[in-house]
Amino acid sequence: QVQLVESGGGLVQAGGSLKLSCAASRLTFSTYTMTWFRQAPGKEREFVAGHSGIGGSTDYADSMKGRFTIARDDAKMMFYLQMNSLKPEDTAVYYCAARHQIEVKTAAREYRYWGQGTQVTVSS
């Protein structure tokens, strides 16, 4: 069974930075699209950014472009989210997700595998 484990969340002041990590196991990592989603209280799960793996195609939600950057290390089976210029509205639980197709999808229903999430709280 595919396992995804997020880490790196925490409390940060507005304008600060955090780097989230997602450690994957039990999958042929390079053949999976890896994506970050987030979910704030009372809101639906929201696409953040994804990386298709082979081919290197990436996609970002418009509100994250220029502030967030994703990267993956296929040899280490790691997926990262660097978040800069954080805002209070970025407060959410951030999830790592994987799908066994080489295409980034923005809908959460397209992803079969999920981590447990890591809390990011941005104070004003």
Side-chain angles (χ1 to χ4, degrees):
Q1 180 71 5
V2 172
Q3 288 191 338
L4 303 173
V5 179
E6 302 95 336
S7 61
L11 174 64
V12 64
Q13 288 188 331
S17 299
L18 276 177
K19 184 177 183 178
L20 306 184
S21 299
C22 174
S25 59
R26 303 178 185 177
L27 75 168
T28 306
F29 188 73
S30 63
T31 65
Y32 281 71
T33 289
M34 300 299 298
T35 298
W36 289 99
F37 286 83
R38 70 184 186 184
Q39 189 165 19
K43 295 187 176 181
E44 293 187 354
R45 198 161 293 192
E46 175 186 25
F47 170 79
V48 174
H51 193 302
S52 66
I54 296 173
S57 174
T58 59
D59 191 15
Y60 291 83
D62 287 343
S63 61
M64 286 71 161
K65 289 179 180 176
R67 299 191 301 125
F68 292 7
T69 303
I70 55 173
R72 61 188 292 162
D73 184 332
D74 286 359
K76 295 181 179 179
M77 298 174 62
M78 295 292 296
F79 184 51
Y80 304 101
L81 176 64
Q82 175 68 47
M83 303 185 292
N84 299 325
S85 302
L86 283 162
K87 306 174 183 179
E89 51 264 43
D90 294 317
T91 295
V93 177
Y94 284 70
Y95 296 91
C96 173
R99 64 190 300 268
H100 200 192
Q101 290 85 22
I102 306 302
E103 183 180 5
V104 178
K105 294 288 190 180
T106 61
R109 65 179 180 274
E110 300 285 347
Y111 293 80
R112 179 176 181 182
Y113 304 106
W114 292 84
Q116 82 288 351
T118 186
Q119 176 71 46
V120 171
T121 303
V122 184
S123 63
S124 57

